Amino acid sequence: MSQVRVRFAPSPTGPLHIGGVRTALYNYLFARKYNGTFILRIEDTDQVRYVEGAEEYIMEALKWCGIKVDEGIEEGGEYGPYRQSDKKDSYRKYADMLIDRGFAYYAFDTPEELEAMRLKAEKERKMFIYNAAVRESLKNSISLDDVEWNAMLDRGESYVVRFKMPPDEEISFDDLIRGNIVVNTNTLDDKVLFKSDGMPTYHLANIVDDHLMKITHVIRGEEWLPSFPLHVMLYKAFGWETPFFAHLPLILKPDGKGKLSKRDGDRMGFPVFPLYWPYGETARGFREDGYFPEAFVNMLVLLGWNPGTEQEIFSMEELINVFTIERVHKSGSRFDPEKAKWFNHQYLQKKSNNQLALEFREFLRAKGIHVDIVRLEILVGLVKERVSFVREFWDQTDFFFRPPEDYDSEAIRKRWQENTPVMLQELIDVIRGIPDFSPAPAEAAVREWIGKKGYNTGVVMNALRLVVVGALRGPHMFDITSWIGREETIRRIEKGISVIGKQQQ
Ligand code: GLU
């Protein structure tokens, strides 16, 4: 295989959907696997759809995911510019080349005229397709005589350049994922290649740049499958070598019915974009929702590809080794928000307590809580298994930082007995007398006292938990008391006796 060169070619029309990130990821993995080059090309020739901030968003999203661009706007490279609008004047000659060779023509139909024809066809329950069947009856350099259309050009009348799709041809081409595809050209239209605003359309700029940038494999979303025949024909018309093509399946809604959309995420409470989108209609992002980039990438790679084994957790390095286009699925993959959380949970477990403590410390700082990092490491270690996101540490540990403000009434009803205050009062004395208040010795001493007194362990321990935590939740009891310390434990028991005691009277 010649030196692999692949590209991710997004149009900056808004935040990058996770389907787009996955396209970038597969391209990146493929490039790395074959020691090839991964190119980021911004396709912004459609000025109407251009959205401010989208280009930066795309680049930041790739960086966050650990997808490293080899050639691009920031990285440079021999085949630039990598932003199509920066070379907009260079495409005209390719449109002319096709006109000269008889593969394209000028069309002067106004948008209003075309719309009228579309509506007329609709009324007759037909589809208006601008192609060989109707082109002779429309306003273009094929139907009009040469003098007439040349005069129109000279007068500066607005026109577009269209591809001259040949009629009645069965064209056959190969897709690395879907295999052989055959299409009859009668179903295709004379696509616009060059617009009246002097800009190439996506089709022309895309083919020209893939050729000039020596792209060997075009790996892109299946929404481009309908354009595939045209693209193959453009390569033929130019006399250029056609790259290999691979069209990736869609990422589907959780119920499998249709493409995953922002609306699904809004409705069901999950992000469909990698990063928060701050402009106009804002959108939540996986990053801001607390996903680790490695977990996000791992979740994403498996939406449309499988390794052929049971393995689910992959580092980027492993993915580069095992990824193959052959194992990309033909049909769409459902996005499963619970599975996404599961991946984050798995990656969180793999993080060191120190890493987690550092991240949790930031969260606490924002709340005005300052805790020593060593103590935080102990704390995250206690509840790590119960959380999937760093922010969830707070839900599991809030009572470590502040005494309970109220007590779970259901737990009081079930667990608080008449002699509970007496027992807890005694427990205070026991706690005062424990020489080493770390978890194991403290537990041993308390259990010894319970045994000696013949108390019920469950009754004592539930009451202790209730006054220390405020509810019957949290990690091991003596891990909590040791962390908050002897004095704080005693204070909470005293407060509990008095507050709950009063409530019970
Ligand atoms: N600019 C197109 C897009 O926005 C690129 C399609 C392709 O990769 O050919 O997805």
Side-chain angles (χ1 to χ4, degrees), residues 33-240:
K33 187 179 175 87
Y34 295 106
N35 293 320
T37 305
F38 173 65
I39 297 152
L40 173 63
R41 183 174 75 225
I42 299 293
E43 300 205 326
D44 60 346
T45 58
D46 189 343
Q47 291 163 321
V48 182
R49 296 182 63 220
Y50 180 81
V51 171
E52 200 67 39
E55 184 181 296
E56 292 74 16
Y57 180 99
I58 291 165
M59 296 196 278
E60 198 182 333
L62 297 189
K63 277 184 204 145
W64 180 66
C65 292
I67 297 174
K68 293 185 199 72
V69 174
D70 299 315
E71 290 177 22
I73 297 168
E74 289 183 336
E75 298 72 16
E78 285 175 48
Y79 300 87
Y82 293 92
R83 185 192 286 117
Q84 288 184 329
S85 61
D86 289 345
K87 51 186 289 198
K88 56 174 186 283
D89 298 332
S90 69
Y91 297 104
R92 172 77 224 203
K93 62 172 179 285
Y94 294 99
D96 289 342
M97 206 188 273
L98 292 178
I99 296 172
D100 292 347
R101 294 183 189 174
F103 290 111
Y105 61 92
Y106 299 101
F108 301 91
D109 319 86
T110 64
E112 294 75 29
E113 287 165 347
L114 292 173
E115 185 55 24
M117 277 179 280
R118 246 190 300 274
L119 288 176
K120 184 166 168 276
E122 211 172 88
K123 273 199 198 117
E124 294 162 7
R125 295 182 177 274
K126 285 196 229 137
M127 255 249 290
F128 173 68
I129 307 181
Y130 201 126
N131 66 5
V134 296
R135 118 179 21 117
E136 292 286 348
S137 60
L138 298 167
K139 244 202 281 172
N140 53 56
S141 58
I142 296 173
S143 61
L144 304 170
D145 72 55
D146 290 2
V147 179
E148 197 174 344
W149 64 259
N150 271 303
M152 288 169 95
L153 286 185
D154 291 344
R155 282 201 301 272
E157 285 197 23
S158 180
Y159 66 86
V160 298
V161 176
R162 286 183 182 269
F163 185 70
K164 191 175 166 190
M165 186 61 74
D168 284 329
E169 270 184 37
E170 292 281 319
I171 47 171
S172 151
F173 36 87
D174 289 318
D175 181 274
L176 293 176
I177 297 166
R178 285 145 208 272
N180 187 254
I181 300 171
V182 180
V183 172
N184 187 296
T185 53
N186 287 349
T187 62
L188 305 172
D189 64 341
D190 291 356
K191 275 270 178 307
V192 175
L193 302 176
F194 204 82
K195 292 173 291 180
S196 50
D197 63 1
M199 286 285 243
T201 59
Y202 150 73
H203 301 291
L204 181 69
N206 182 274
I207 277 13
V208 166
D209 281 347
D210 280 352
H211 170 70
L212 296 178
M213 293 182 179
K214 297 200 166 69
I215 299 303
T216 55
H217 297 74
V218 172
I219 304 169
R220 62 183 177 187
E222 84 171 22
E223 63 272 30
W224 300 105
L225 206 51
S227 307
F228 186 21
L230 169 69
H231 293 180
V232 172
M233 298 193 77
L234 279 170
Y235 278 101
K236 283 211 188 102
F238 280 117
W240 295 336

Side-chain angles (χ1 to χ4, degrees), residues 328-466:
V328 173
H329 308 160
K330 282 196 184 64
S331 51
S333 295
R334 290 167 196 229
F335 173 74
D336 177 353
E338 290 312 311
K339 190 74 186 192
K341 287 183 195 155
W342 179 86
F343 275 106
N344 216 58
H345 179 83
Q346 298 302 314
Y347 276 85
L348 190 143
Q349 304 314 310
K350 296 208 293 184
K351 302 248 173 203
S352 71
N353 291 351
N354 177 260
Q355 274 173 299
L356 294 171
L358 288 170
E359 288 200 31
F360 188 36
R361 186 166 67 174
E362 290 307 308
F363 180 98
L364 292 173
R365 269 195 191 141
K367 282 188 171 298
I369 299 171
H370 300 274
V371 188
D372 170 60
I373 194 75
V374 179
R375 277 170 55 70
L376 269 190
E377 282 175 22
I378 297 172
L379 188 56
V380 299
L382 295 179
V383 294
K384 195 172 167 178
E385 281 173 19
R386 303 167 187 226
V387 308
S388 299
F389 297 92
V390 168
R391 73 182 128 77
E392 289 176 353
F393 276 114
W394 174 252
D395 310 325
Q396 295 291 335
T397 61
D398 53 338
F399 52 86
F400 280 83
F401 305 100
R402 52 179 190 201
E405 274 158 26
D406 42 40
Y407 303 90
D408 179 352
S409 52
E410 185 63 12
I412 296 172
R413 200 175 59 74
K414 283 198 185 141
R415 308 288 181 189
W416 195 267
Q417 300 185 348
E418 222 182 307
N419 67 338
T420 299
V422 177
M423 288 192 298
L424 288 178
Q425 202 61 55
E426 279 177 35
L427 179 57
I428 291 174
D429 293 335
V430 176
I431 286 173
R432 283 221 167 90
I434 298 172
D436 174 1
F437 200 56
S438 48
E443 176 166 7
V446 171
R447 285 190 184 278
E448 193 192 318
W449 159 73
I450 291 173
K452 239 196 265 159
K453 290 288 197 166
Y455 291 151
N456 177 313
T457 311
V459 171
V460 176
M461 297 307 282
N462 278 321
L464 177 59
R465 187 173 289 275
L466 195 51

Side-chain angles (χ1 to χ4, degrees), residues 1-6 24-38 68 70 217 219 305-307 316-328:
M1 200 181 331
S2 60
Q3 179 66 19
V4 164
R5 290 177 58 83
V6 293
L25 176 63
Y26 287 7
N27 273 285
Y28 172 74
L29 295 174
F30 186 77
R32 284 289 173 277
K33 187 179 175 87
Y34 295 106
N35 293 320
T37 305
F38 173 65
K68 293 185 199 72
D70 299 315
H217 297 74
I219 304 169
W305 168 86
N306 75 80
M316 195 67 106
E317 284 310 306
E318 285 176 297
L319 287 174
I320 289 168
N321 277 324
V322 298
F323 182 79
T324 58
I325 290 282
E326 290 71 36
R327 289 206 159 276
V328 173

Side-chain angles (χ1 to χ4, degrees), residues 276-292:
Y276 175 69
W277 173 256
Y279 311 104
E281 194 191 334
T282 59
R284 62 201 280 181
F286 278 88
R287 180 176 67 183
E288 290 71 17
D289 268 26
Y291 281 85
F292 299 116

